[in-house]
Amino acid sequence: MSDVAIGTASGASGGGAFTTRTIAILIAVGIATFVAMLVLGAYAPDLRSGRNGGAHALSNAAVGYSGIVRLAAATGRNPQIVRNPRKLDTEDLVVLTPEAGATDMTKAILARQGKPTLVILPKWETVPDPAHRGWVRFAGLKSTLEDDQVLAPRNQLKTRRYSSGGRPLVALSWMPAALRFRGPKPVQTISGADLKPLITDDQGHIVLGQIGEQPFYVLADPDLLSNIGMRDADQARAALELLDFLNSTGAKAIWFDVTLNGLGHAPSPLKLAFDPPFLAMTLAIAIAVLLAGVQATARFGATRRRARAIAFGKTALIDNTAALVRKAGRHRALGPRYADLVRERAKGVFGVPGRLRDQALDRYLDALNGRARFTELAEQARAATDPRAMLQAAQALHQWLWEKSR
């Protein structure tokens, strides 16, 4: 009987719960799912759409700025979304869109020292539109006190609103002639110390101003660049001209910040594993793991037949008997029994008279010529307690019998 035969019989009665192909498919699906989770975990911040109805560059609401971003992309101005605060050190124009006076702009302003920067003040109070995801409904105008706090206390500005009647805004004479905006209804303006006017309403109130001598600009009314203004082709054309005018010479892009709107993220070590140049190392590790898995599962060479649980032959019978004796703990009784066995074999081999027994038989065997005496070897076998000493004594008795019978 063997476990091979048993396994064959049971396998014939029915197949396993899963075939090799099914297991391979399950493993492949599990690995693909795990890799997909890693990739999504790395790029999840970048995949957030930002369609929450806010006033930022990813919003498609009326107060958002996704329209000017898409228009800039369509006209080759290469707009970029800033999600990492470390990217604010670019020399190109950066557009900051704080949505409340409590927004902390300290780090952003410090990072933009001496670099072209446009801050757009908030204007409208909105609520989500339940009928359209990402849209909003106007609930009114924000308090001008909140706008006054956007750049405070570093820059003290005063915000006001006037009825413009949609009349054209006025740009400085040396500015591009294409900067022709119509005044929003109502128009929001600012005033303050060290604020230079660039675009005003027809009453001289500042709509776009420059603070100090650095290229730091403040747009009081967001309707000039928001999705509200992009509905009109002339307003959209003037908005692009405005961004070009404020940008640095030789600029390669326009950067729209969303970190102030809660859509930024810190650098991710997991994302680095999927970005060049570390992507090559990630792929090399993945291929090495795949090859190790193939080597562990694939068979090389001919199938090796399993051995029987109980082997054939005298050697197997002796091994099994020895194992049974060892498990039963009766190996200590083998020494005296083996000595008696050698004595009985010696009687037949040497023709010992049948009347000799016990001590007389031992004296007869000791009298035979040889290097060792039988009684001494038999006593060593009876006194052996550990397997090694017992084996040595048994070998000595076997050698004694072999020498005497040659």
Side-chain angles (χ1 to χ4, degrees), residues 178-182 229-240:
L179 292 178
R180 298 175 181 175
F181 289 99
R182 290 196 309 274
M230 296 304 102
R231 297 177 300 179
D232 183 87
D234 293 335
Q235 293 284 92
R237 188 180 299 108
L240 290 177

Side-chain angles (χ1 to χ4, degrees), residues 3 40 46 105 114 241 266 292-293 297 344 368:
D3 60 344
L40 288 176
D46 292 337
M105 300 184 59
E241 291 292 337
T297 56
E344 292 299 324
L368 297 175

Side-chain angles (χ1 to χ4, degrees), residues 281-295:
M281 181 184 68
T282 303
L283 293 177
I285 294 175
I287 294 174
V289 172
L290 178 61
L291 292 178
V294 171
Q295 185 178 9

Side-chain angles (χ1 to χ4, degrees), residues 14-27:
F18 297 99
T19 63
T20 303
R21 181 178 180 182
T22 303
I23 295 175
I25 293 175
L26 290 175
I27 293 175

Side-chain angles (χ1 to χ4, degrees), residues 116-402:
T117 307
L118 174 63
V119 178
I120 304 177
L121 300 182
K123 179 179 180 182
W124 297 101
E125 193 74 50
T126 60
V127 294
D129 187 346
H132 300 87
R133 184 175 179 271
W135 291 19
V136 294
R137 294 180 177 179
F138 293 111
L141 293 166
K142 285 184 176 291
S143 171
T144 57
L145 296 177
E146 186 166 352
D147 293 73
D148 296 344
Q149 299 300 316
V150 170
L151 296 177
R154 185 183 182 91
N155 301 106
Q156 298 291 340
L157 300 179
K158 185 65 176 178
T159 307
R160 294 184 176 86
R161 298 187 182 102
Y162 302 93
S163 176
S164 67
R167 293 184 295 274
L169 301 181
V170 181
L172 296 181
S173 58
W174 52 268
M175 295 176 66
L179 292 178
R180 298 175 181 175
F181 289 99
R182 290 196 309 274
K185 301 178 182 180
V187 62
Q188 184 168 280
T189 64
I190 52 175
S191 60
D194 204 22
L195 184 65
K196 300 178 181 179
L198 296 178
I199 297 178
T200 64
D201 63 4
D202 58 349
Q203 302 296 320
H205 305 118
I206 301 175
V207 178
L208 174 68
Q210 178 181 356
I211 298 179
E213 299 298 330
Q214 295 187 357
F216 190 85
Y217 310 99
V218 181
L219 179 61
D221 200 310
D223 292 347
L224 271 63
L225 295 181
S226 68
N227 296 335
I228 298 174
M230 296 304 102
R231 297 177 300 179
D232 183 87
D234 293 335
Q235 293 284 92
R237 188 180 299 108
L240 290 177
E241 291 292 337
L242 176 61
L243 294 178
D244 291 340
F245 171 76
L246 299 180
N247 211 342
S248 59
T249 303
K252 298 180 180 180
I254 302 173
W255 298 78
F256 292 86
D257 173 76
V258 294
T259 62
L260 298 179
N261 309 96
L263 298 174
H265 62 84
S268 171
L270 182 59
K271 184 179 177 181
L272 290 177
F274 298 99
D275 288 339
F278 299 102
L279 178 60
M281 181 184 68
T282 303
L283 293 177
I285 294 175
I287 294 174
V289 172
L290 178 61
L291 292 178
V294 171
Q295 185 178 9
T297 56
R299 176 177 293 162
F300 295 90
T303 305
R304 185 175 181 180
R305 186 179 181 86
R306 292 181 60 186
R308 289 177 55 88
I310 302 177
F312 293 112
K314 296 180 180 179
T315 303
L317 180 61
I318 293 172
D319 291 341
N320 292 333
T321 303
L324 291 174
V325 173
R326 184 168 55 252
K327 288 182 177 294
R330 303 298 299 274
H331 58 277
R332 294 188 178 182
L334 293 178
R337 294 187 180 186
Y338 187 73
D340 295 339
L341 176 64
V342 172
R343 182 193 289 116
E344 292 299 324
R345 290 190 61 188
K347 288 175 61 177
V349 171
F350 302 129
V352 179
R355 68 177 183 275
L356 297 179
R357 297 180 180 280
D358 299 333
Q359 295 181 359
L361 177 59
D362 290 344
R363 286 194 297 270
Y364 182 88
L365 296 176
D366 286 344
L368 297 175
N369 293 329
R371 291 179 298 178
R373 300 179 61 190
F374 172 77
T375 54
E376 294 177 355
L377 298 178
E379 183 61 29
Q380 292 177 4
R382 294 187 181 94
T385 57
D386 61 275
R388 178 175 296 181
M390 193 176 299
L391 177 62
Q392 293 176 351
Q395 289 175 341
L397 284 171
H398 178 76
Q399 181 69 20
W400 175 84
L401 182 60
W402 179 78

